[in-house]
Amino acid sequence: MQIFEDWLVRFISDDYLWMVKIFLIVLIALMLGYLANKFINFLEIHAARSTNVWDDALIEACRRPAVWAIWILGVNMAAAVAARAAESEWYSLVAPVNRVAIIFLAALFLVNLVRRVERNLVHPEYMQEPMDETTVKAIGKLVRASVIITAILIAMQAFGYSISGVLAFGGIGGLAVGFAAKDLLANFFGGLMIYLDRPFKVGDWVRSPDKEIEGTVEDIGWRLTRIRTFDKRPLYIPNAVFNNISVENPSRMLNRRIYETIGIRYDDIGKMSAIVEDVKAMLRSHPEIDQEQTMIVNFVSFGASSINFFIYTFTKTTQWVLFHEIKQDVLLKISDIIADHGAEIAFPTSTIHVPDDIKLLGAQLENAR
């Protein structure tokens, strides 16, 4: 910088030298920022050709911190020139501001890096076996929180504040904060238990028999879990609630069950055995029925207006829509089997028995007319 000043003195008077310095410093900072941005674009094009988890993340994370660092240092350098020329006390703040700026830009780089690595670790384009999204998000949140807290403490130290005093105050005030924010802490630890026990993850369909909770998990935060109900409404649930309720996770079921009771007429009781055997044979040959699971087809009861048999079996798929298509196919085939045997599916009926003397009286009245 001194060599640069000596060179400028040859052409410019001392009265205007500081203004020229400021102009040139700002101009050079803008040019360097522009060139840094172009260079990062060049690196991104080459990194896009690979599927490495880290190179894309590093390049994308360093874009804003690198460009902003050049601009901030340039502006601070220009401010230092102006403050020195004006003999202002602000000149002594330039160095601490530069240090704090570098600290926060480094923190910004690390936060961006963690966020992009999170996306890469759960994306099949970068990972042959993507990691669990819920676990990755939990670790990412912890790392980002650690980076931010560390950056704040280092910045306070740069301005002369005692970190040990802050930490001591945190220890003493922790009890008061704990009592004042017990619900917040309960939700925090509830979220931590969800991340550790993993009863569900983002994308799972969950429901609770204890509460009116059912839908797809969209986000698991440190305080709230957001669930999208099947009528597309968002449901926000404090994490502490999950410590006191049972949660069912249908997304992790291995099969779906078909359990139906079907009744035929009492007049067709002689055909029941053959119908049951044919239905069982149909299920055993059905390509979408899991033969490794329990399969039951039996005459089960005498009903008020029908004799009933039931089917109990499991499909291979767990997809809701496909399951109902398979169930429809099974029920229609059962209907065809019943019809093939000359039987009929029963519907509720009532039989009225009239005593013989009433019948005789009715006949006499009819003849008298």
Side-chain angles (χ1 to χ4, degrees):
M1 179 62 70
Q2 187 62 43
I3 296 173
F4 178 65
E5 290 180 5
D6 294 340
W7 180 79
L8 286 177
V9 169
R10 300 178 184 177
F11 305 97
I12 302 170
S13 64
D14 292 339
D15 295 335
Y16 300 100
L17 181 62
W18 66 274
M19 289 187 288
V20 175
K21 288 181 184 177
I22 292 174
F23 172 77
L24 291 176
I25 290 171
V26 172
L27 178 62
I28 292 171
L30 292 175
M31 291 177 60
L32 289 176
Y34 175 79
L35 292 175
N37 193 49
K38 288 294 183 182
F39 180 66
I40 292 172
N41 287 339
F42 172 78
L43 293 178
E44 276 189 344
I45 293 173
H46 285 272
R49 298 173 184 173
S50 71
T51 57
N52 187 280
V53 173
W54 298 99
D55 55 0
D56 294 311
L58 285 168
I59 294 169
E60 182 179 328
C62 75
R63 177 187 295 277
R64 284 189 296 175
V67 175
W68 290 1
I70 295 172
W71 290 347
I72 291 173
L73 292 177
V75 169
N76 283 348
M77 191 178 297
V81 171
R84 188 170 58 180
E87 298 181 353
S88 171
E89 296 179 356
W90 290 97
Y91 180 75
S92 60
L93 294 177
V94 173
V97 168
N98 281 338
R99 288 197 294 271
V100 171
I102 294 299
I103 291 169
F104 279 99
L105 288 173
L108 177 63
F109 165 74
L110 292 174
V111 168
N112 289 342
L113 177 63
V114 172
R115 185 175 289 113
R116 179 55 193 266
V117 169
E118 280 182 32
R119 296 207 309 262
N120 290 355
L121 290 176
V122 299
H123 201 291
E125 182 180 342
Y126 295 95
M127 299 285 290
Q128 292 182 351
E129 296 182 1
M131 297 179 64
D132 178 65
E133 185 175 356
T134 304
T135 303
V136 171
K137 283 190 173 183
I139 296 173
K141 287 177 181 178
L142 286 173
V143 173
R144 288 199 298 271
S146 301
V147 169
I148 292 171
I149 293 173
T150 303
I152 292 173
L153 293 176
I154 294 174
M156 293 176 66
Q157 185 73 25
F159 276 106
Y161 292 96
S162 173
I163 295 179
S164 59
V166 173
L167 295 177
F169 174 77
I172 296 171
L175 293 175
V177 172
F179 283 113
K182 61 178 181 178
D183 291 337
L184 182 62
L185 292 174
N187 291 325
F188 172 81
F189 286 108
L192 183 61
M193 289 301 101
I194 292 174
Y195 285 124
L196 293 177
D197 296 338
R198 294 195 293 179
F200 52 82
K201 59 182 177 62
V202 174
D204 280 357
W205 164 25
V206 297
R207 63 187 175 198
S208 172
D210 303 326
K211 297 280 187 179
E212 293 184 3
I213 297 173
E214 184 170 14
T216 303
V217 179
E218 287 192 339
D219 181 66
I220 304 172
W222 287 116
R223 194 178 75 85
L224 293 171
T225 293
R226 185 175 72 247
I227 294 176
R228 184 71 58 175
T229 62
F230 292 131
D231 57 0
K232 302 305 179 183
R233 293 178 299 168
L235 183 63
Y236 299 93
I237 305 169
N239 291 330
V241 171
F242 294 106
N243 293 330
N244 303 311
I245 63 173
S246 300
V247 178
E248 182 182 345
N249 190 339
S251 298
R252 296 180 185 174
M253 66 174 66
L254 302 176
N255 304 86
R256 284 189 180 274
R257 184 182 65 175
I258 299 176
Y259 182 26
E260 293 291 332
T261 300
I262 301 165
I264 62 176
R265 302 178 305 171
Y266 271 90
D267 293 343
D268 301 320
I269 190 169
K271 303 169 185 177
M272 174 64 81
S273 180
I275 290 172
V276 167
E277 290 302 320
D278 286 354
V279 170
K280 189 177 296 185
M282 180 272 294
L283 292 175
R284 285 174 177 165
S285 63
H286 200 291
E288 296 298 332
I289 298 298
D290 191 344
Q291 306 301 322
E292 301 296 326
Q293 302 299 323
T294 303
M295 181 188 296
I296 306 174
V297 183
N298 282 115
F299 174 29
V300 66
S301 66
F302 293 96
S305 57
S306 64
I307 50 174
N308 305 315
F309 69 95
F310 79 103
I311 61 171
Y312 186 96
T313 189
F314 292 87
T315 63
K316 293 179 180 178
T317 185
T318 60
Q319 296 180 21
W320 179 247
V321 175
L322 182 57
F323 163 75
H324 280 287
E325 292 177 357
I326 296 169
K327 183 177 179 180
Q328 172 184 279
D329 181 64
V330 167
L331 294 178
L332 289 175
K333 286 181 176 178
I334 292 173
S335 176
D336 292 339
I337 290 171
I338 293 172
D340 290 342
H341 284 275
E344 294 182 16
I345 297 174
F347 54 88
T349 57
S350 298
T351 301
I352 300 176
H353 295 277
V354 181
D356 292 339
D357 53 350
I358 295 178
K359 291 181 181 178
L360 179 60
L361 177 61
Q364 290 175 352
L365 291 174
E366 185 67 27
N367 292 331
R369 292 179 183 176

